[in-house]
Amino acid sequence: GVVRSRWRRTARRYGVIALVLFAVAAFSAAAGASPAPTVRPVVLPRDRGAHPGFGEEWWYTSGTLTGANRRAYFWFATIWSADGALVAKVNVVDLGADRIVLSHEYVSATPVTEGQTQFTVGAFELGLRSGGTLGRWSVDASTGAGGRLELDLVPRQPYVLHGHDGIIQQGTGGLSAYYSAPRLAARGTLTLNGKPVSVTGQGWLGHQWGNF
């Protein structure tokens, strides 16, 4: 239907974004940039932050929400980093209406710093707001057109290291480091057309980086 068509367009857009980021990485390598660092076993909490120097890195959150208006929503909010560029995206789908109700992209030529855990790309923010064993993540993304998603995301179980000690093989593309928070308690506010509604639900966070 309409949502499926929009998701296909979104997927194509992501493909363009990925190609741009990968092209930047390839150009940097060809221009004699410093050799990319080696992927090493994931150690938390050390590796919650950014890893500059790798070809690609991203933080990805998604999940389901129920509003005080009794409507059900799906969201994702994610940020990519590659060679001095940041690209972020937020999408919210009204599951009952079968349509995207909030969507926006953000781009910034801002490099990440070693260990950075809070990221701002225009009116998009994603980051780790507290330390401790599990910490607390948050998303705040505004569209500037009466739309905004604000979420606190609290892990409810330990992080999972994928592959072997958090290292996975990306097919023939090389190694990447990858861990996730498989169960997040989500709480916040979804504003549509300037009208805020409280939302609660559950979600997931993935953090991955490498030279694949």
Side-chain angles (χ1 to χ4, degrees):
V2 174
V3 169
R4 188 175 297 111
S5 177
R6 288 175 176 170
W7 278 110
R8 283 197 294 265
R9 290 198 297 270
T10 298
R12 287 196 295 270
R13 187 178 300 119
Y14 285 159
V16 172
I17 291 171
L19 286 173
V20 170
L21 294 179
F22 296 160
V24 170
F27 177 81
S28 296
S34 300
T38 301
V39 175
R40 58 179 177 171
V42 174
V43 176
L44 299 176
R46 179 195 71 193
D47 285 320
R48 291 179 188 163
H51 303 78
F54 283 96
E56 298 82 37
E57 182 168 21
W58 57 76
W59 295 257
Y60 192 110
T61 75
S62 65
T64 55
L65 302 166
T66 300
N69 58 1
R70 299 187 178 181
R71 300 197 69 84
Y73 302 95
F74 168 81
W75 102 86
F76 74 79
T78 185
I79 185 168
W80 293 270
S81 170
D83 291 286
L86 291 173
V87 178
K89 175 75 178 180
V90 63
N91 256 36
V92 177
V93 178
D94 183 321
L95 295 174
D98 193 32
R99 65 188 181 92
I100 297 172
V101 293
L102 187 149
S103 180
H104 202 70
E105 293 179 3
Y106 315 78
V107 179
S108 174
T110 304
V112 297
T113 59
E114 184 70 37
Q116 182 179 345
T117 57
Q118 297 184 24
F119 308 91
T120 300
V121 186
F124 180 101
E125 296 181 3
L126 186 154
L128 185 66
R129 298 300 179 182
S130 61
T133 303
L134 299 178
R136 176 175 65 88
W137 299 82
S138 68
V139 169
D140 187 349
S142 174
T143 66
R148 187 175 184 180
L149 178 66
E150 303 167 85
L151 292 177
D152 279 332
L153 304 171
V154 181
R156 293 305 191 196
Q157 69 182 68
Y159 293 90
V160 174
L161 305 186
H162 297 273
H164 181 68
D165 292 331
I167 298 178
I168 64 174
Q169 178 69 42
Q170 292 289 131
T172 59
L175 300 177
S176 74
Y178 180 30
Y179 73 89
S180 66
R183 187 173 295 276
L184 300 171
R187 180 180 298 273
T189 303
L190 172 63
T191 301
L192 300 175
N193 299 317
K195 299 178 180 179
V197 59
S198 297
V199 290
T200 58
Q202 62 180 358
W204 168 89
L205 175 142
H207 180 190
Q208 189 170 5
W209 62 96
N211 303 307
F212 50 91

